[in-house]
Amino acid sequence: MHFELEAILSFSGELNKAGEQILETINEANLDILKRGVPRGVDGGATVIDHDIDGSTLKIKIVSDRYVRAHDAVIRLKKKFSEDMGKKYKIGVRDVKIKSYTIRLNLDREPKDKIEVPYVKKLDVEGKKCTVLLEELTEEQLSKNFVDRIINRIKEKIDAQYYQGKEELWNLIWYSGRKDILWDKDPTEEMAKRGWIKQGPTKGKWFYRPQAAKILRCMEEIAYKEVLEPLEFQEVIESFMVPFDVWQDTGHMEGVPNEVYYVCEPITRDPYEWEELIDHIKISKDVPQEKLRELVTPPKFGICYAQCPLIYWSLKNQTIAEDSLPVLLYDRSVPSARYESGGRHGIERVDEFHRIEPVYIGTKEQLLELKDKLIERYTYVFEEILQLEWRIAKVAPFYMQQAGTDSEDEEEVLGTIDFEAYMPYRGGREDSKWLEFQNLSVFRKYTKAFNIKSQKEELYSGCSGIGLERWTAAFLAQKGIQPDKWPERFKEICGDLPKGLNLL
Ligand code: ATP
Ligand code: ZN
Ligand code: MG
């Protein structure tokens, strides 16, 4: 890597008389502080190769290599100038501005397409050699590590060009074998015809009338009685609004900002301030969007996307006593919202859904054991109660397959497995897409991100998303919606469906 940086240092006083001192500081720095960190015997580090005094500003040009990057060098220089100039002339450095910053680096692979990244004025690529020109970075941005992150982002975008359009890694782990399939209808359409559900009130949402509500609650009951209770999970109740800093820690904010439903707050509760809006609503019988926008903040939270982030947040910086390990918690109080856009379908891919999410934290051994127990309990439910045709697959999003992520240790533990059901209405077993109705993960990133510790060993964590709509869709897609044809065990647990309403 090669760095070339032009910076402007603004001092608190005139520099005309301080020319000699400035030269001396630069010469000393070139020999000492700008070489710190360079391995013995290597000729490297940062060097100020040019400077120019103009009134109270000093322009400098620094070249460097990877041992002392020029943006770190300029911060070291600022400190030295303040010390040296402070003593003799009682003036210090007020501000550092980066005029231009050129970074030359070697890439692992050539980009396939044009790349744009914020703060990058120009990006030239020749084969694997890349020249990045950055402009107008502030001192604060330099010390907050913007440069490394900009470079990482460039590399990430190149990697993304290579895996675009490729399939996720998918490996079959287990298959239930063929089961009795009672029909090939789309359960959502059939329930809607019978008035068990009603679409709306907005896109990707459903109103579950008594019959459908009962089925979803039965699924919940089964998950509780057959999985969570026997494994001694404890219930928590969390907020359904998640502030952005929690999602920064989990990575959701950069991972899925395009799927989040955002929440605004009123800027004031004073009725007087809202009076005009109310007038308009009363007169026009409509909500004037522009006026409303003036009365609410930009979004500060999102609606729950998955329940686990707030469970991890609740344990942030905590040390967990040995006798509380493994931590076994679940939330079923909060619905999840996701903007699925064109992917929406029926009750199985909706913008608002109901999940139970068990979350577990423990040592690697504890979680490996728990994983097996969870799979055993789930298998009992899907085989004996719901009698589904289903399978387990190990999946890895493509980015996890890239070298250099810490997915390697995560993979070793488990990563993620998906539970998928055959959906007869979509076509044949071989050529139709099966429905992921649930997943299960074990990894290390969240205990790291939230600094959750035990007194002895390093902790891992994981979660499993039990989607009630998806359990219901899978079951009804295979077993139909005539309750007398359902498997005996399910009928026993569910009992009779409510009569519902006769709407004329
Ligand atoms: P998909 O690939 O189907 O979008 P996902 O990988 O986004 O699923 P996860 O974030 O792993 O899903 O969520 C775990 C579980 O939450 C899923 O197995 C499923 O049961 C449920 N789920 C996720 N998205 C939806 C949705 N849009 N509608 C209904 N249930 C959902
Ligand atoms: Zn989760
Ligand atoms: Mg999804």
Side-chain angles (χ1 to χ4, degrees), residues 1-18:
M1 265 183 148
H2 176 87
F3 300 86
E4 236 177 86
L5 176 146
E6 281 180 38
I8 298 174
L9 280 63
S10 306
F11 285 77
S12 55
E14 285 290 315
L15 297 176
N16 300 341
K17 294 195 190 112

Side-chain angles (χ1 to χ4, degrees), residues 256 259 305 338 340 349 436 470:
V256 289
E259 290 187 20
Y305 181 92
R338 298 185 185 183
E340 297 281 3
R349 186 173 293 281
E436 174 199 328
R470 297 242 175 133

Side-chain angles (χ1 to χ4, degrees), residues 306 308 355 357 463:
C308 59
R355 292 201 322 175
E357 184 163 357
C463 54

Side-chain angles (χ1 to χ4, degrees), residues 365-431:
E365 288 65 41
Q366 286 171 335
L367 293 200
L368 286 175
E369 199 188 315
L370 177 73
K371 173 205 86 180
D372 290 340
K373 285 193 203 152
L374 272 168
I375 293 177
E376 185 201 313
R377 295 310 306 166
Y378 284 141
T379 304
Y380 172 76
V381 170
F382 306 140
E383 286 290 294
E384 307 297 327
I385 301 177
L386 303 182
Q387 298 181 14
L388 294 178
E389 180 165 340
W390 64 292
R391 65 191 181 195
I392 301 178
K394 174 130 175 49
V395 291
F398 218 84
Y399 65 86
M400 291 277 265
Q401 296 169 46
Q402 304 300 309
T405 61
D406 50 351
S407 62
E408 280 155 41
D409 343 291
E410 284 162 15
E411 288 296 292
E412 202 191 313
V413 193
L414 174 68
T416 298
I417 54 174
D418 280 353
F419 296 66
E420 303 177 341
Y422 171 45
M423 301 296 271
Y425 83 87
R426 296 182 181 180
R429 288 180 172 80
E430 310 298 329
D431 46 65

Side-chain angles (χ1 to χ4, degrees), residues 220-261:
E220 184 179 34
E221 177 72 12
I222 293 168
Y224 175 69
K225 277 270 180 257
E226 303 295 347
V227 182
L228 301 169
E229 195 181 47
L231 297 180
E232 297 181 22
F233 275 82
Q234 308 182 73
E235 182 166 13
V236 295
I237 296 179
E238 62 177 51
S239 165
F240 80 106
M241 288 189 256
V242 186
F244 294 165
D245 58 346
V246 172
W247 277 341
Q248 296 263 44
D249 286 345
T250 55
H252 284 83
M253 211 61 234
E254 59 192 67
V256 289
N258 54 333
E259 290 187 20
V260 161
Y261 270 89

Side-chain angles (χ1 to χ4, degrees), residues 168 252 259 305-306 336 338 340 344-345 347-355 357 416 418-419 433 435-441 464-471:
E168 281 193 335
H252 284 83
E259 290 187 20
Y305 181 92
S336 301
R338 298 185 185 183
E340 297 281 3
R344 285 180 199 113
H345 182 85
I347 63 163
E348 61 242 40
R349 186 173 293 281
V350 285
D351 279 25
E352 182 186 11
F353 53 94
H354 301 82
R355 292 201 322 175
E357 184 163 357
T416 298
D418 280 353
F419 296 66
K433 190 164 167 33
L435 178 71
E436 174 199 328
F437 60 93
Q438 158 165 317
N439 67 356
L440 193 161
S441 312
S464 176
I466 305 176
L468 300 182
E469 278 86 351
R470 297 242 175 133
W471 277 30

Side-chain angles (χ1 to χ4, degrees), residues 62-165:
I62 303 175
V63 294
S64 83
D65 54 26
R66 69 192 162 98
Y67 298 116
V68 183
R69 291 143 344 146
H71 58 277
D72 293 325
V74 77
I75 293 184
R76 294 186 195 175
L77 259 181
K78 177 196 174 190
K79 200 166 156 246
K80 184 162 170 59
F81 270 122
S82 288
E83 280 166 14
D84 293 358
M85 301 289 285
K87 269 186 232 147
K88 257 202 199 148
Y89 299 93
K90 303 267 177 288
I91 53 181
V93 184
R94 270 210 188 125
D95 174 49
V96 179
K97 275 212 175 64
I98 307 310
K99 241 189 113 231
S100 78
Y101 196 8
T102 309
I103 302 165
R104 273 190 268 285
L105 65 147
N106 289 326
L107 300 169
D108 294 337
R109 43 190 175 183
E110 274 177 60
K112 292 182 166 180
D113 224 328
K114 206 172 160 226
I115 291 176
E116 286 184 27
V117 173
Y119 307 101
V120 175
K121 179 84 189 297
K122 206 159 158 247
L123 199 123
D124 284 327
V125 184
E126 257 192 66
K128 291 183 179 175
K129 286 195 176 13
C130 172
T131 308
V132 186
L133 177 65
L134 304 177
E135 267 201 343
E136 305 291 339
L137 282 174
T138 64
E139 183 188 349
E140 201 197 347
Q141 291 169 333
L142 288 190
S143 55
K144 279 190 177 163
N145 218 11
F146 272 43
V147 176
D148 288 325
R149 296 194 198 131
I150 291 167
I151 305 253
N152 285 343
R153 187 69 181 137
I154 293 171
K155 291 181 177 167
E156 223 172 63
K157 284 197 165 181
I158 296 171
D159 287 346
Q161 291 176 345
Y162 280 82
Y163 58 74
Q164 247 163 29

